[in-house]
Structure formats: structure tokens, C-alpha cells
Amino acid sequence: MQETATTKVSRYRRQPDAGLSRMEILEGAARSFQERGFAGTSIDDVAARIRSTKGRIYHHYSSKAELFFDVYRAGMEMNVAAIEPCLSAPGPADQRLHAMLRAHVRSMIETQAFQRVVWEGVEMLRQNALPEPEHAQLGELAELRHAYAERFRLVMEAARAEGFLAFQHSSIALNTAFMAVNGPVFWYRPREGQSAEEIEKIVDECALYAMRALGWTKDREVYADAEGQ
């Protein structure tokens, strides 16, 4: 079988000794891509950021595109890990969805550099910015986003069936909700001394806007006290 970028990265993940080294590279790459974009970032930039050599990076990745794809993949895996506990939580579907949206916002904040790479990858796919086979690999990565969104859609529809949400078209409703919870990827900036409580307020607000966009019938009941303060 022909080895692709996907199978190569999977092979590295099965090597415990390379785990920390790989994540160090990914974190440095994510911040470099976040600051300069794909076109403006070089392997030299990433190596300088992690105070290493190009050879160390090329030990894992054969090209900048392959490194970019793995940062994208890691960002999506972080999102899935964040919402996974919410999927099996007990209680009504709207509570599960609310928890998923909050977890998603928190992931957007805590892993912002990775999520900016995901969004740049989305735009690059739309603009057909890479040659084959890189464009095809971006298309494969897009399937990770579709599968992730499908988790939300299923819980949304369950909540609507239980009478907690009021929307007509699930795809339109889901895209609208994601506009609210994806916002911190673009506008959030950490402040010195910012407390965990302040971050949770951002999480709560973004998730509330998303639930309202879905016609959440418990909105006023749950947030009446908070809004009256």
C-alpha cells in the first residue's frame, strides 16, 4: 500500500519515544502558522521557535504541508477529546448539547493556535490553494470536521425531538450555532492575569448565543438570575 501523510503520522504516534518530541514540534508549528500563515511560514521558522534544527523536524515530516496537515489533524483531535465526555452524559439532549458547545468554546480558547490552522486549512481547500496530492489530503482532513459536526447535529435533532429546541433546517441551524462558538478562534486574546472564571464567562456567553440561535426553550429559565445581576 502506498504510504500517505496520514499513515506516516499514525506510525509516529505508535512510537512512545517520539510522542513528546512530536507534540513539541506541533505546538511550535501551530504558533508559527498562526502568526505567519501557511505561505509565510518555513520549516526554519518552526525550528527556530522550538530551538531545534530542521533535521529534527524532517525526521518526522517530509514537507511543510505534511506538518501543516498534522497540526490540523491534532486540532480536530483536541476538539473531539473535549466534547467526548458530554456525548455519554446522562440527562436531556439539550443539556448534552449545551455541555458540548461549552467544551467546544473552551477548546477554541485553549488550543487557539491549532484551531487557526484548521480554519486556514478550510480556506485553502475552498480556494484550491494547493496542488495535488496536497489538495486531496486537505479534502480527507475536511472529513474529520464533517464527522465532528455530525456529532453536534445528532444531539441537536434529539433535543428538538424532546421539545427543547425550535429550528427548521438542521444544517442552517448548526452553521449558525457554530458561528457563535467558533468566534474566539479569531477575536480572543489572552490577558495577563486573566482568571479561569473570566474565561468561563466567555465560554458561557458564546454557548448561550449558540443555544439561543437554536431556539432553546429553557433559555430564560436557566439564565434569568444571571441576566438580572
Side-chain angles (χ1 to χ4, degrees):
M1 182 179 70
Q2 183 179 4
E3 187 176 54
T4 65
T6 302
T7 56
K8 273 195 209 176
V9 171
S10 297
R11 183 188 69 208
Y12 291 134
R13 286 178 182 150
R14 290 198 293 271
Q15 296 177 355
D17 292 341
L20 290 176
S21 175
R22 172 181 170 271
M23 184 50 65
E24 184 180 3
I25 293 171
L26 290 180
E27 289 177 349
R31 296 192 181 280
S32 296
F33 289 129
Q34 179 185 24
E35 292 176 2
R36 300 180 178 89
F38 176 80
T41 299
S42 67
I43 295 294
D44 285 298
D45 294 327
V46 179
R49 180 175 287 275
I50 65 174
R51 299 181 180 179
S52 184
T53 64
K54 289 195 295 185
R56 181 181 177 188
I57 298 173
Y58 279 122
H59 175 74
H60 293 277
Y61 301 99
S62 63
S63 67
K64 180 177 73 171
E66 186 179 338
L67 176 56
F68 182 86
F69 296 153
D70 205 27
V71 174
Y72 185 131
R73 186 178 295 103
M76 289 308 307
E77 290 173 350
M78 291 169 181
N79 291 340
V80 171
I83 69 167
E84 201 69 37
C86 309
L87 292 170
S88 57
D94 69 318
Q95 292 183 12
R96 293 199 304 276
L97 178 62
H98 191 204
M100 290 169 65
L101 291 167
R102 295 185 75 259
H104 178 88
V105 178
R106 198 176 294 110
S107 185
M108 296 298 102
I109 292 173
E110 294 176 352
T111 67
Q112 187 185 44
F114 286 84
Q115 307 310 325
R116 287 292 294 268
V117 169
V118 171
W119 278 100
E120 184 175 7
V122 170
E123 288 304 310
M124 290 166 66
L125 182 63
R126 289 175 179 168
Q127 297 168 11
N128 198 16
L130 292 178
E132 292 289 352
E134 285 87 355
H135 182 79
Q137 292 177 42
L138 268 180
E140 293 174 5
L141 289 171
E143 292 303 315
L144 298 179
R145 291 184 66 250
H146 295 158
Y148 179 72
E150 182 69 5
R151 290 172 166 88
F152 284 85
R153 188 185 66 79
L154 292 174
V155 180
M156 275 174 45
E157 292 183 347
R160 179 175 62 177
E162 293 173 9
F164 297 119
L165 300 181
F167 60 86
Q168 294 183 355
H169 303 289
S170 60
S171 59
I172 296 174
L174 182 58
N175 286 330
T176 303
F178 269 134
M179 288 178 65
V181 293
N182 285 333
V185 172
F186 306 101
W187 53 255
Y188 174 76
R189 296 292 182 273
R191 292 185 290 101
E192 184 177 355
Q194 189 174 38
S195 66
E197 290 76 14
E198 290 175 310
I199 293 176
E200 286 304 299
K201 287 181 180 179
I202 297 173
V203 170
D204 288 338
E205 194 80 359
C206 291
L208 173 59
Y209 291 151
M211 293 295 286
R212 283 177 173 172
L214 298 172
W216 194 27
T217 58
K218 287 185 179 179
D219 179 1
R220 299 303 172 186
E221 173 188 343
V222 173
Y223 283 91
D225 292 341
E227 291 178 348
Q229 293 177 355

